[in-house]
């Protein structure tokens, strides 16, 4: 069985889902705030805000998942090594 190098399918779906949830929430609030300000529906800067939110949310969520994955990998690596420090190596005969 070949090991995958990049992020898994479930991780990518989770990133996409979280990004869409954040983007939808911010977009809904921005459109509502613009409607309250103007008093009528129109297209304006709130849609640009929505696009920028989507990009920023994806980058932040992707970074968080990378950090969590690196922490998990480091934890597994330390468990495989047996959590030995320099003093622990001397006692291990």
């Amino acid at each position: 069985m070949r090991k995958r190098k990049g992020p898994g399918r479930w991780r990518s779906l989770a990133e996409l889902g979280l990004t869409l949830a954040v983007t939808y929430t911010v977009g809904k609030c921005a459109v509502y705030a613009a409607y309250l300000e103007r008093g009528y529906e129109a297209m304006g800067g709130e849609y640009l805000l929505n696009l920028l939110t989507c990009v920023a949310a994806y980058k932040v969520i992707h970074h968080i998942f990378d950090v969590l994955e690196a922490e998990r990998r480091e934890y597994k690596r330390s468990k495989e090594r047996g959590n030995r420090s320099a003093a622990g190596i001397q006692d291990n005969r």
Side-chain angles (χ1 to χ4, degrees):
M1 183 179 224
R2 251 177 28 185
K3 232 180 178 179
R4 288 179 287 193
K5 293 280 183 185
R9 205 174 304 180
W10 292 109
R11 176 184 162 177
S12 297
L13 283 174
E15 287 175 353
L16 179 65
L18 289 170
T19 301
L20 289 176
V22 170
T23 303
Y24 176 78
T25 304
V26 170
K28 191 96 165 145
C29 292
V31 169
Y32 182 71
Y35 177 75
L36 287 177
E37 182 71 27
R38 291 187 199 116
Y40 58 92
E41 290 186 28
M43 294 181 74
E46 64 272 10
Y47 292 98
L48 179 62
L49 175 67
N50 208 14
L51 178 66
L52 294 175
T53 301
C54 181
V55 172
Y58 178 77
K59 288 184 176 278
V60 168
I61 291 168
H62 186 74
H63 178 71
I64 290 171
F65 277 28
D66 281 346
V67 168
L68 290 175
E69 190 173 319
E71 289 288 325
R72 192 183 78 212
R73 230 183 351 252
E74 184 61 34
Y75 177 75
K76 280 185 176 180
R77 199 174 302 143
S78 69
K79 291 283 265 187
E80 289 172 358
R81 284 186 268 147
N83 293 331
R84 286 183 269 177
S85 62
I89 293 173
Q90 294 173 355
D91 294 338
N92 189 11
R93 297 180 199 167

